[in-house]
């Protein structure tokens, strides 16, 4: 019998797999509790009661006669046995959490005593889903068919498209035909107003294409000059979903906690939203690129350049080139100037991690977006704040900037484990020249619990902005720096090295997996410039509570 008490929208006795359940729906929760013969407390029977938050219901559908056998013979028997209307069962598809942050689409079929009640349930659940407001209805999908193991198209067709269809999401799918196809389409051709989001099927390089297209388009639409490093960029309105189908898939891993296409598709369907910082990389007032994960000069730059020539090896190219570059053991000379982030919560040596609903991101995001940017711009530095800039100079094996943890299967805790997705800062990691043995110790610590920064030759700073200048000949255009303060920091170092042919080694930057040929760069963090269909990595304890609160 149906009841409508207090906060509940519906409360009915329905059956699941031929067993009687008390099923209730509130604005936030769908719960089904097994009816016990006597009200005995069963502390060790959590399966007696299941709940799913309405925000994690994927869809609800009335069972058709021909579909019903797929679920349980029980409801067919009930129908046949009692001669009832065939439309008296409905199926709810919902998110179920598995191990290692993976999500699955689970289903439960409820059999109602009559068709009217069945329709009322279906309608009521649909109304609750429609009221959520954050779910995408129409998506623009770009598939890189050659990324990773070249499985992008198949992954999308087999694992993602059926889920989107089930959730009632319509799509416009473009399989890219050449590098930068997606970027250029987004820049000029795509009718973005039609869509509620963009989906990227590929790796970090493909994601990079998408953000370059979207950020550029947003700046053009808002008359912002992307070539000026001093301009405050306009945040992109469309959310981006990542279906991992690349080689490293670091951005997906660090924002979801797993590289799993189904999990990512479900985060898109439920309409998650995760803001993310973006670094702009400039050289002589020209925009070179944007970066959201790793900007690495030296070791990671060299690994990338070397691996690009070995794309035929697939993802294994990084292991091969990584070993080669470790053995090569090149060091580089230069200077890094940086603006330490001020007035923020958190440091790169924190033990706490950026997780779903991160308070550090919320606090620092407010500092940088609502109250205006707290750090000094290059102009104000000249006039008043010389001491704000710090510098490090000498010989380095690697200079890395991690705007997020850069967690990925190679290093599940990440390049900078305490970095934040949306706090308006990047962690600048400087690895000074050291022995091979010591560098190996540093690298190995990325894969263990030991602190990779707790070594004499490694320093890490949380910054809003930094510049790098390699040691090289003055005639090089990289040294054609106009600002006086830059000459102060870098001048003596460059003068040390006369124009000659015996220069030191030069590396290139690894910018989210794309090679940047310019060594001298000016990097600025733009707080929460883009949004993903993600929610950050969930704390493991949240899983049990949300999935099954009745079990406690
Ligand atoms: C002896 C044990 C050594 C362990 C070293 C662990 C350190 C690995 C850090 C990896 C950081 C990865 C940051 C992400 C970079 C990606 O954007 C980039 C491109 O990805 P994709 O487009 O999907 O191919 N990947 C890389 O640059 C690979 C770096 C691998 C270095 C070994
Ligand atoms: N159709 C295509 N043909 C060739 N290259 C492409 C195509 N579509 C995208 N790309 C490029 O492929 C590169 C690698 O893509 P990505 O999806 O990141 O795979 P991986 O992780 O294996 O590097 C990116 O630089 C992207 O610009
Ligand atoms: Ca950050």
């Amino acid at each position: 019998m149906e009841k409508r008490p207090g906060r509940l929208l519906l409360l009915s006795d329905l059956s699941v797999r031929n067993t009687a359940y008390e099923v209730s729906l509130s604005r936030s929760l769908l719960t089904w509790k097994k009816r016990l013969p006597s009200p005995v407390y069963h502390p060790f029977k959590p399966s007696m009661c299941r709940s799913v938050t309405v925000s994690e219901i994927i869809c609800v559908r009335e069972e058709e006669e021909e579909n019903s056998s797929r679920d349980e013979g029980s409801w067919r028997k009930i129908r046949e046995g009692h001669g009832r209307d065939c439309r008296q069962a409905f199926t709810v598809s919902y998110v179920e959490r598995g191990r290692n942050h993976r999500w699955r689409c689970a289903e439960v079929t409820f059999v109602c005593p009559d068709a009217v009640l069945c329709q009322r349930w279906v309608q009521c659940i649909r109304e609750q889903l429609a009221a959520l407001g954050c779910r995408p209805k129409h998506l623009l999908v770009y598939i890189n068919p050659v990324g990773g193991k070249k499985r992008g198209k198949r992954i999308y067709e087999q694992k993602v498209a059926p889920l989107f269809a089930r959730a009632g999401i319509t799509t416009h799918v473009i399989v890219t035909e050449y590098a930068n196809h997606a970027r250029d389409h987004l820049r000029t051709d795509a009718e973005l107003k039609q869509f509620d989001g963009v989906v990227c099927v590929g790796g970090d390089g493909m994601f990079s294409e998408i953000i370059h297209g979207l950020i550029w388009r947003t700046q053009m639409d808002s008359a912002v000059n992307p070539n000026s490093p001093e301009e405050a960029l306009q945040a992109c309105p469309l959310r981006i979903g990542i279906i991992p189908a690349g080689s490293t898939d670091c951005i997906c891993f660090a924002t979801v906690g797993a590289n799993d296409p189904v999990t990512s598709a479900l985060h898109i369907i439920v309409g998650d939203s995760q803001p993310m910082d973006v670094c702009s990389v400039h050289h002589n007032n020209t925009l070179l690129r944007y970066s959201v994960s790793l900007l690495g000069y030296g070791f990671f730059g060299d690994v990338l350049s070397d691996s690009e020539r070995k794309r035929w090896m697939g993802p294994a190219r990084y292991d091969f080139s990584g070993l080669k570059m470790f053995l090569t053991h090149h060091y580089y000379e230069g200077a890094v100037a940086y603006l330490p982030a001020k007035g923020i919560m958190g440091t790169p040596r924190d033990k706490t991690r950026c997780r779903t609903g991160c308070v550090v991101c919320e606090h620092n995001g407010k500092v940088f977006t609502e109250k205006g940017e707290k750090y000094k711009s290059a102009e104000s530095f000249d006039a008043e704040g010389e001491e704000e800039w710090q510098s490090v100079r000498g010989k380095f094996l690697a200079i890395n900037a991690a705007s997020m943890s850069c967690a990925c299967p190679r290093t599940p805790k990440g390049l900078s484990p305490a970095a934040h997705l949306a706090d308006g800062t990047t962690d600048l990691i400087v690895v000074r020249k050291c022995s091979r043995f010591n560098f190996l110790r540093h690298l190995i610590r990325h894969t263990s619990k030991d602190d990779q920064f707790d070594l004499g030759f490694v320093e890490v700073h949380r910054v809003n902005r930094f510049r790098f200048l390699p040691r090289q000949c003055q005639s090089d255009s990289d040294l054609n720096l106009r600002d006086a303060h830059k000459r102060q920091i870098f001048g003596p170092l460059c003068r040390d090295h006369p124009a000659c042919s015996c220069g030191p080694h030069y590396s290139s930057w690894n910018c989210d997996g794309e090679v940047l040929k310019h060594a001298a760069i000016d990097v600025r963090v733009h707080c929460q410039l883009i949004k993903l269909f993600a929610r950050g990595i969930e704390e493991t304890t949240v899983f049990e509570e949300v999935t099954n609160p009745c079990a406690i």
Side-chain angles (χ1 to χ4, degrees), residues 277 402-404 419-426 525:
D277 298 333
S403 300
M404 56 161 74
H420 288 270
L421 290 168
D423 67 338
T425 74
T426 188
V525 189

Side-chain angles (χ1 to χ4, degrees), residues 203-205 246-250 293-294 300 303-304 317-318 406 408 410-411 415 440 443-444 446-447 510 512-513:
D204 295 340
S247 299
T248 314
D249 298 320
C250 153
S293 58
L294 166 70
F300 287 112
V303 170
L304 184 73
R317 68 190 184 277
Y318 291 132
C406 293
C408 60
R410 280 192 168 77
T411 165
L415 212 60
L440 184 63
L443 287 179
I444 285 178
H446 288 84
T447 62
N510 174 339
D512 293 0

Side-chain angles (χ1 to χ4, degrees), residues 294-303 329-333 336 392 394-401 415 428-434 439 442-443 446 457-460 468 507-509:
L294 166 70
L295 258 171
Y297 185 81
F299 180 71
F300 287 112
D302 297 347
V303 170
H329 199 61
H330 276 164
Y331 70 88
Y332 305 92
E333 295 188 66
V336 193
V392 188
K395 297 173 178 168
F396 310 108
L397 290 184
I399 294 164
N400 302 320
L415 212 60
L428 181 65
I429 306 157
V430 176
V431 185
R432 289 183 181 275
K433 187 185 170 203
C434 63
F439 190 47
H442 169 64
L443 287 179
H446 288 84
F457 52 92
V458 181
E459 50 186 278
V460 56
F468 175 72
S507 182
S508 49
W509 286 90

Side-chain angles (χ1 to χ4, degrees), residues 144 146-148 176-178 203-206 209 246-247 311 317 514:
N144 177 359
V146 298
T176 61
E177 289 164 20
Y178 47 88
D204 295 340
M206 187 60 187
E209 275 200 32
S247 299
R311 275 208 159 263
R317 68 190 184 277
E514 301 299 305

Side-chain angles (χ1 to χ4, degrees), residues 327-367:
L327 294 172
T328 308
H329 199 61
H330 276 164
Y331 70 88
Y332 305 92
E333 295 188 66
V336 193
Y338 59 90
L339 272 175
K342 297 257 171 72
I344 55 154
M345 280 170 74
T347 78
R349 305 297 293 273
D350 289 342
K351 293 282 169 258
T352 52
R353 301 289 177 250
C354 184
R355 291 290 179 262
T356 306
C358 176
V359 288
V360 172
C361 290
E362 195 186 338
H363 174 271
N364 296 352
K366 277 196 188 124
V367 168

